[in-house]
Each structure stands twice: as structure tokens, then as C-alpha cells.
Amino acid sequence: MPERSAIPSVASMITAEGLAKRYGAKTAVNDISFTVRPGQVTGFLGPNGAGKSTTMRMIVGLDRPSDGRVTVNGKPYAAHRAPLHEVGALLDAKAVHTGRSAFNHLLAMAATHGIGARRVHEVIELTGLESVARKRVGGFSLGMGQRLGIAAAMLGDPATLILDEPVNGLDPEGVLWVRQFVRHLASEGRTVFLSSHLMSEMAVTADHLIVLGRGEIIADAPVADIIAGGTRPRVRVRSPHASELADLLAAPEIAVVRSEAGVLEVTGVAASGIGDLAAEHGLAIHELTPQNASLEEAYMALTADSVEYRTEAVR
Amino acid sequence: MTTITPTTARPSQRTRPTSLSFGGVLRSEWIKLRSLRSTIWSYVILVVLSLGMALIMTLSYVSGGGPAGEADAAGLSSEAQAGLLVQASTFGAFFGQLVVAVLGVLVITGEYSTGMIRSTLAAVPNRLPALAAKAVVLFAVTFVMATISAVGAFFVASAVFADSGIGANLLDASVILRILGAGLYLALIALFALGVGTMLRSSAGGIATVVGVLLVLPLVLQMIPADWVQDVLPYVLPNAGHSLFADTSAAADAVPFWENLLIVLGWVGAPIVGAVVLLKRRDA
């Protein structure tokens, strides 16, 4: 949208510098620095307990950092004159009083910033909550709670959105809705920071990934780089001459695994190389499929051997 | 549920920028208070208790069970008549204080138990305006509701007493000031409970603490025979508080109104200060 593109890119960034959070002897977040940029969906990935939620709470000032600082659009969140217009946050789908209706919850949140009832109706429509807006939140499903949280985050029409596990508890339609929604927000030039422990979802939603493990950043790179860097491409070969082919392929940089009778999983050589080799020796091939490395595998590789990865993929 | 129509995400606020203000936070807290059933019920119970207690007390008085025995209304001075009416009008406050105390605790602990507090503090990241707005709204609404119920109780009592020839003018200083005193006391109790609830962040713990201070503490102290304990008794919150509206002119060692008010303010101020410090320091 035109009014979005007018926003200078520096105007909506999240910047963390040496951010740390310790609870007594336990370190939840350990000296992390990162930048979340506008115009793309930045995924915040990591297993449960890695420190994602703690980091997000520190961004909006709910938790006080033990060390370091984090700014949104150049200032600490609390220093903004209209925080809800700067950042919309879905931190916990259940951050709503269960005895209040969705409409009254949004109305009360909006009132703090002088935002009127018209905008409340807009975000209710935007998130598809019209039919339940007057019902008490206590009876909401997890999915409706997530939609309400997103509605609240959108109240101030902020340039930056922070969404902690927004697809948690959503049905497939809801997951798709969130994916389209955040992609659309990013396309408007907004900054979208989205956490999840679902790697498959991140692979299709995010442009850029910050991977957190045990309170530290393991990777901070575009999704494509992480997938490419995390695993080596694999080729699945089905042939009646599987064992002969395996012998021919034998080389130090090539790994061949027999997954079932007549099927080889080959790493270290491209599908074309295997096809040429088989043709040269007149061996029939029934299947030759390059296996795309999944983010899931990349993620496993990352967390399994984070130190080795750090040297090659972290920018 | 519908799928997203991208155009509906169009920014609409850009044209009319708004910002965080204390007035806005006040409005927000007012919306929050009035949009919960527990609030409505608490104030309904407060009014019913006040009117009901006035009715019970005056009926038992005119039927001969009152403190003056077989009262001869005609023999009562106008001061004594006003005193009787005030007593009936404010009798409900002894029970109403428990209702507003529970409400005061729940206003904040309800946010902690449901997670709402994170939404509240994300919208008002400086935090103290949120607590201040809660306190202002709770105080004002409780003062108005408690005063209205005491005035209502005055009319109930006047109606019952009418046949016995007992009456007083509501706007007499000796009447209206004590009725306002009862309203003030209940509003301050609600603030005391808000402070305790904010410090403890737990509904059960908060309610137990305020009920303990209002009911158990004076009873326990009364049972200790030591002299110094008897000297401390007037400084206990409900004892000092009741003197804001009860007729103490008969007692020789009556503590002046302002002194009692200061004692109550001290009781209210301590947990509020604690709440301010903890709210600012703690993670939400």
C-alpha cells in the first residue's frame, strides 16, 4: 500500500543488543543481538523453552532484561507516546479476562490510546470474529483466542507486529489464514516477527529466520540459506541393479544408504551424475528423485551441531 | 471463520493519529470494570445488603428489640433520632466492606489469573498509570455506589420509623456527613484491597488477607488481655474506619474524625505504595 512504502525502513525495526535474561542461576536468554527488518516475515524458531517468549516479552517491556537493551523503531517500547500504534503484540492467546466479551476487551484496549469503536469493529471483521464478538472469552476455543489476540495486536494499525506462536491450536484453515495474513502484512512493508516451534510452518511462512537454542542465537539467515546450509542434498535412486550401482558410486565424498530393497539414498552427488553413471554402464533406473532438504532436517542439523554451523551460516 | 480479504487490513488510524493518555487509560479501566459480571454482582449485593440491614434493624427496633428497649419515640431527642437513623443507614457497611474488599482484590488479581495483565501492561508500558486509573475508577464507583446505598437505606429506615414518630433530615450535617463517611470508608477499603491484591497477585491470598485484616485481626486482638493490645485496638483498620461513620460522641475517649481518617489512609497507603513499587519492578 502506498502509505506503507512511505515509511522509511529504519522506522520499523526491532533491534536487540546483548539482550539477556536470567532468573536466579538459570539463564533464559544469553547475550543475544539481532535485527528484525521491515517488509519481510522474520521467523523466530526454537524448541520450547529456548527463550523465544522471554525475548518477545522483553521487546514490549513486560520482562525487564538482566542485561543489554532492545529497541523498537529506535526507542525502547515504553518510551513511545503511542505504543499500540508502534507495535502490536500477540504474546499469549490467553492474555484476556475470561469474563469479558471479545468486543469489550478490544474496546478497553483501544480506549487507552483513544482508538474508537469503529476500529474495534474493523479488527473484529478483519479476524472473522463477528459471530462471537459479544460472547464471553472464557468460552472461546484456542483458535478463536488466537484470532482475538491478533485483533488486539491490529488495533493500533502498527508498523511492527510481534506474534508469539500464532498458529498454536489453530485448525488447518486457521493456519492458512495466519500464513496469508502475515505474508500480506509484510508485503505492506510492515515488520513481522513471528515465533513458532513448528519448523514446517516456518518454511512456508517466513523469509528470514532467527533460530534460538538454549537462550542463544544458533542461526540468523534467510530461510533458503538455512535449508541449503543445514543439510546436504540427497537423491533417492530405485533400480533393479541397486547393489552394482552402489559399488560404482563408491567414493570418499559420496554416502550411499540402502533404505529398502532396490532403493538407495545417495548424498554427495547430484541426480544428473547418478543418471549419467547408470547410462554409461547400461544399468536401468526406475526412479531418480532429488530429495529437498526440509527446514526440519536443517533445524535438527543446526541444533545437533550448532558450533560447526555457526562458522559457515551465521552472517 | 472467513479467510482474509487483504484490503480490510488497510490502515485506518493513520488519518487520525491517537496516542496513549491518562484519560484514555481511565476510560479503559471504566470499560473493564463495568464489563464484568462480578462487578455488577458486587455492587448489587452492596445495595441489597445496605437496604436489607436497614430494614432488619429498624423493624426489630420498632417491635421493641432495639437497644433502647421499649423505646418511646416521643422521648427521644432529635439528636438521638438522627443517630438512630444514621445507625440504620450505615449498618450495611459492616457487611458491605467485605463485598468491596473482595471486589477490590479481584479487580487486579482477576487480571493476573487470566493473563489479562499482560495485555494491560503492554498497552500501558509505564504501568503506574494503569494502576492509578484502576484506583481512581474503583474508588469513584465504590464511593458513589456505597453512598447511594446508604442514602437508600436512610429512606428505608425513615419509612419504617415514620409510624413511631422518629425522623431526621437527610441533609442535616450530622446525618449526611456520616453517610458520606460510610461511602468514603467503603471506597477506601476497596483501595486497600486493590493494593493488597496487586502485591500478592493471587485472588485467594488477597481475599484471605483483606478479610483477615477486616474481621479476624480486631477479634483476635480483642481476646488478648494485655493493656498495650487494648491501646492498639483503635488503630486497627476496621475500628478506625467505623469511627468515620459510627456515632462515637457518647464515648469519652473518642478519637477525632480526622485522626481516624489519617489512620485509615495509613492502612490504605501502605499496600498501595507496596503495589506501586512491586508493579514497577516485577516482570509481568
Side-chain angles (χ1 to χ4, degrees), chain B residues 181-209:
Chain B
L184 178 65
Y185 172 64
L186 290 191
L188 287 171
I189 288 296
L191 283 193
F192 168 74
L194 176 69
V196 170
T198 309
M199 289 182 74
L200 298 181
R201 298 193 285 190
S202 139
S203 301
I207 290 171
T209 305

Side-chain angles (χ1 to χ4, degrees), chain A residues 76-87:
Chain A
Y77 178 76
H80 285 288
R81 276 188 62 237
L84 291 189
H85 288 308
E86 301 289 338
V87 181

Side-chain angles (χ1 to χ4, degrees), chain A residues 1 3-4 21 23 57 61-64 77-78 81-85 92 94-100 104-105 107-109 111-115 118-119 122 125-129 136 144 147 155-159 173 177 180-181 184-185 188 190, chain B residues 1-14 16-25 27-29 31-38 106-107 110-111 113-127 280-284:
Chain A
M1 305 223 163
E3 52 266 71
R4 284 281 150 216
K21 182 68 186 178
Y23 298 102
R57 282 202 304 270
L62 290 177
D63 283 11
R64 182 187 299 273
Y77 178 76
R81 276 188 62 237
L84 291 189
H85 288 308
D92 188 336
K94 292 286 169 193
V96 178
H97 199 297
T98 43
R100 202 171 276 128
N104 279 324
H105 170 72
L107 197 64
M109 298 292 298
T112 59
H113 282 58
I115 299 167
R118 217 187 96 214
R119 178 63 183 166
E122 271 177 30
E125 200 183 309
L126 181 66
T127 49
L129 286 171
R136 294 198 294 160
M144 287 193 286
R147 282 170 186 263
L155 273 176
D157 190 24
E173 193 202 353
W177 178 80
Q180 292 174 337
F181 187 63
H184 170 69
L185 292 173
E188 287 183 314
R190 299 186 212 235
Chain B
M1 304 280 171
T2 56
T3 40
I4 174 190
T5 330
T7 47
T8 55
R10 269 190 68 86
S12 69
Q13 296 298 313
R14 297 284 153 195
R16 196 163 47 85
T18 56
S19 73
L20 183 59
S21 67
F22 187 67
V25 181
R27 249 182 64 79
S28 172
E29 290 301 334
I31 293 167
K32 282 194 207 169
L33 190 70
R34 69 170 162 77
S35 60
L36 285 182
R37 286 187 196 174
S38 56
L106 289 181
V107 157
E111 293 212 6
S113 64
T114 56
M116 176 69 200
I117 191 72
R118 287 190 289 280
S119 293
T120 300
L121 297 184
V124 189
N126 285 330
R127 299 188 180 186
K280 200 70 187 164
R281 279 193 13 204
R282 278 192 301 220
D283 289 338

Side-chain angles (χ1 to χ4, degrees), chain B residues 4 40 45 81 94-95 143 148 172 185 208 217 256 259 275:
Chain B
I4 174 190
I40 310 295
I45 292 170
Q81 294 186 18
F94 290 90
F95 307 91
F143 178 73
I148 287 175
D172 262 11
Y185 172 64
L217 186 63
E259 220 165 286

Side-chain angles (χ1 to χ4, degrees), chain A residues 232-256:
Chain A
R232 303 160 76 196
R234 219 159 13 111
V235 183
R236 183 182 162 87
V237 186
R238 186 186 296 275
S239 166
H241 314 288
S243 46
E244 288 171 72
L245 201 56
D247 291 341
L248 287 169
L249 282 166
E253 74 279 8
I254 297 173
V256 180

Side-chain angles (χ1 to χ4, degrees), chain A residues 5 67 80 86 91 95 107 110 114 132 139 142 144 158 161 169 171 173 189 200 237 268 271 286 306:
Chain A
S5 54
D67 237 318
H80 285 288
E86 301 289 338
L91 290 174
L107 197 64
V132 293
L142 196 49
M144 287 193 286
L161 278 127
D171 53 19
E173 193 202 353
S200 49
V237 186
H286 295 167
S306 58

Side-chain angles (χ1 to χ4, degrees), chain A residues 220-283:
Chain A
D220 183 348
V223 172
D225 289 9
I226 288 189
I227 292 175
T231 53
R232 303 160 76 196
R234 219 159 13 111
V235 183
R236 183 182 162 87
V237 186
R238 186 186 296 275
S239 166
H241 314 288
S243 46
E244 288 171 72
L245 201 56
D247 291 341
L248 287 169
L249 282 166
E253 74 279 8
I254 297 173
V256 180
V257 177
R258 270 163 233 249
S259 51
E260 56 188 274
V263 177
L264 304 174
E265 300 278 353
V266 185
T267 333
V269 59
S272 56
I274 299 169
D276 291 348
L277 190 70
E280 236 171 74
H281 293 82
L283 299 175

